[in-house]
Amino acid sequence: MFVVGVDVGGTFTDVAVLDVQGGHTVTAKALSRPDDLTTSVVEALEMAAATLGVSLERLLARTVRFSHATTRTSNALLTFSGSRVGLLTTRGFEDTLLIMRGIGRVAGLSLAERRHPRATAKPPLLVDETRIRGVRERVDARGRIVTPLDVDHARAQIVDLLQEGVEAFAVCLLWAFANPCHEQAIAALIGELAPQAHISLSHQVAPLRGEYERTATTVVNAYVASALEHYLRRLTRRLRDAGLRAPLLVIQANGGATSVDRVVPVQTIESGPAAGVAAAQAVARATGHQRVIATDVGGTTFKVGVLTGGKWATTRETVIGQYSLWLPMVDVVSIGAGGGSVAWVDDTRLRVGPRSAGAVPGPACYGRGGTEPTVTDADVVLGYIGPDTFWGGRMRLDTAAARRALAEHVAVSLFDGDVVRAAAGIREVIDHQMADLIRKVTIERGYDPREFVLFAYGGMGPVHGNAYARAAGIARVVVPGGASVLSAVGGARSDILHTQATSDLLLVPADPSRLKSHFRRMEAEAAAMFEAEGIPPERRTFSRWLEMRYRRQLHAIRVDISTRALDDGQTDAVVAEFERRYAALYGAAAAFREAGIEVVTAGLDAWGHVESLPLPVVPTGGSDPSAALKGHRSVYCLRRRRWVEAPVYDGERVSAGNRVLGLALVEYPHTTVVVEDGTEAVVDAFGNMVLTCEVEA
């Protein structure tokens, strides 16, 4: 029996196949085809099947669980290639999406970008203002109907939007989460007039306070829904035709999976990085690490998440394409930095990213038409990536093309034509950009990165992890087994997760009966979903949480609350935890106790636990790795500023207990672990490579 995880990225499509009885994992990578992602998935599955020595049909027929993480929704949003959306809102509030709460020009931008306000702009409209219509109705904050819905007027607005070619409707009425009856009535009208149109209702997509964020989330859901649904239909049909009988699960941004017929499109944004953090959590639990900085370096982006106490951080608000969304997701921060990041010269400075060469045309060394220098080109020139062993030997890299790109675009401008110095400069710039993001994600949240172990994964994480960890002051690095496809591994291991939330402003100490009624309702809804998904009661757990803030302040902080504390009416521990987290994030002096503390949101994480799969165990050997040695290669050592002959080891032949001293390279089919000068690497029982390095002062 097999469990399959798939992660479709911007450059590569990754597959991990877990052999349930054999206890081992097979991985595969295929180049992502932006015009036909289903073919990329099938190609990667065929590679994995070939490694197992079975046909694709036999692999799928024996698959008991199939989980899929996707960038389809992210791509549709970021490339503005979604559906033609019409927005229906309460009359008088048609400009909510356009005003963007006054933050649209700078939302999601770095501090450096915000310093030049004349260079900032609001993002392109997802809904043209001519397709935003107000309807006559009004519900107040307590859910009481102030003005009944004018059905004839609403029908006329829908007809006008259909005549303008609208394909999907977003319906977001004022205070609809307190009483959704008017949104439901409008949905019924749309169903009569346009049965094929997609309908997104705010009380279902984002039932929370925050008029702009709720509107934006509903609009984005409608905008990306058709792209995702069309892709999932094609993929499901193709996999069924090839023999898959197990249900298709889709990974969500919150780190859990849900059935394909229950997925909310907007909640799949950044599902790949969330799956990677879920896999990092599994490795951390197996190896006993409680404080982990999870870093994922792909072809386009560098992503950072933090685990404390063995749990990942969660955020409710995120910014995608400068739109602020209510979206429960694993708290992962990313920048445009990866193997495909393009290096360029800005006056007299070397810059790397955020633009990426992607899979097409890709880095110059791919030989697929790319001419601009990338991080991968620099790594090839410096000897860190072997041109004959890249991608398991399926693609021979063109070192001469990489040198030409570096020479023409970087070396001639800044390094007197010295290609090696240019490549070294690119590597140092990208490594320090990654280290800067690590410091931002940790120090600005009250964490000392030196107290954490860093996990480096993704196709390029093992190549650069040692370097950016040292730059961030982190002495311990773990390269997990299967690092290059860890998001796919995480998808295969992910539990079912349904996150629900209810907005209700309550002054602390809050009425326990009111909170308990919210939790009972959410738990009943989650239980009904688990019944439909076949999750038995003994495999269900419910985690309650509150979002709290000081009154008259904006930022709410999530705090877990136990069932016992709520039943006993003992909220002192919850308040103490809120104040501790607040002080760590904003400083104790910013607290405003005199104003009181209020509950903003009550939430529930409902987990449906799938069968736990142990991590594969590798054979144990002595400390000498010479049995895995396959040769030497000239590598440019940045610390010594000279070329050295570095040993190259076969990662699939290393044994638990093997010790590798840097400078050395450990090559796996889909990535290379760079053990830098001054670093010692030891392979643990699960095949993870643990690096202990000298940190920068």
Side-chain angles (χ1 to χ4, degrees), residues 95-104 122-123 212 322-323:
D95 290 337
T96 296
L97 189 67
L98 308 178
I99 295 171
M100 303 183 77
R101 201 156 55 79
I103 61 173
K122 290 184 179 180
Y212 160 60
Q322 291 183 244
Y323 284 93

Side-chain angles (χ1 to χ4, degrees), residues 41-252:
V41 173
V42 172
E43 287 178 351
L45 287 169
E46 288 174 337
M47 293 178 191
T51 303
L52 287 164
V54 299
S55 65
L56 173 63
E57 291 73 18
R58 185 172 177 81
L59 167 63
L60 293 177
R62 299 176 73 92
T63 294
V64 295
R65 191 167 68 250
F66 192 111
S67 299
H68 185 292
T70 178
T71 59
R72 191 70 186 90
T73 46
S74 305
N75 291 343
L77 179 58
L78 297 176
T79 60
F80 300 99
S81 57
S83 299
R84 189 176 180 87
V85 176
L87 171 61
L88 292 166
T89 188
T90 302
R91 191 172 186 181
F93 292 84
E94 294 89 342
D95 290 337
T96 296
L97 189 67
L98 308 178
I99 295 171
M100 303 183 77
R101 201 156 55 79
I103 61 173
R105 294 181 67 93
V106 297
L109 301 185
S110 67
L111 183 60
E113 291 170 317
R114 295 184 185 203
R115 291 193 182 114
H116 306 282
R118 287 187 296 176
T120 63
K122 290 184 179 180
L125 292 175
L126 300 180
V127 181
D128 189 272
E129 54 189 311
T130 62
R131 301 198 303 273
I132 301 176
R133 302 299 174 87
V135 296
R136 299 191 187 110
E137 68 86 40
R138 190 64 182 266
V139 172
D140 71 8
R142 296 184 180 180
R144 298 173 300 194
I145 297 176
V146 178
T147 302
L149 175 67
D150 186 332
V151 176
D152 292 336
H153 181 253
R155 180 181 285 108
Q157 301 303 318
I158 295 168
V159 170
D160 283 350
L161 289 173
L162 289 171
Q163 290 174 348
E164 291 191 21
V166 164
E167 304 163 319
F169 287 85
V171 184
C172 186
L173 306 180
L174 201 64
W175 301 110
F177 62 88
N179 184 348
C181 65
H182 288 172
E183 285 196 351
Q184 292 166 342
I186 290 174
L189 288 174
I190 297 170
E192 292 176 14
L193 297 168
Q196 301 303 315
H198 174 86
I199 307 171
S200 290
L201 305 178
S202 74
H203 76 274
Q204 295 176 344
V205 176
L208 301 170
R209 287 175 179 264
E211 180 190 343
Y212 160 60
E213 289 83 357
R214 185 160 50 91
T215 303
T217 307
T218 307
V219 167
V220 169
N221 190 70
Y223 188 75
V224 303
S226 294
L228 179 67
E229 291 167 357
H230 175 70
Y231 166 70
L232 289 177
R233 278 196 302 269
R234 285 192 62 206
L235 180 63
T236 301
R237 185 168 57 249
R238 194 160 179 182
L239 293 175
R240 292 279 180 252
D241 291 344
L244 181 68
R245 296 295 174 262
L248 178 62
L249 301 177
V250 179
I251 305 300
Q252 307 165 101

Side-chain angles (χ1 to χ4, degrees), residues 273 277 292-297 301-306 330-335 433-442 445 454 457 468:
V277 174
V292 173
I293 299 171
T295 63
D296 180 353
V297 191
T301 56
F302 172 64
K303 310 169 190 73
V304 180
V306 177
V330 177
D331 193 359
V332 175
V333 181
S334 64
I335 58 172
Q433 286 179 185
M434 295 174 182
D436 286 343
L437 184 63
I438 291 170
R439 284 189 286 265
K440 177 180 177 63
V441 171
T442 53
R445 300 182 185 186
L454 183 141
Y457 54 93
Y468 59 70

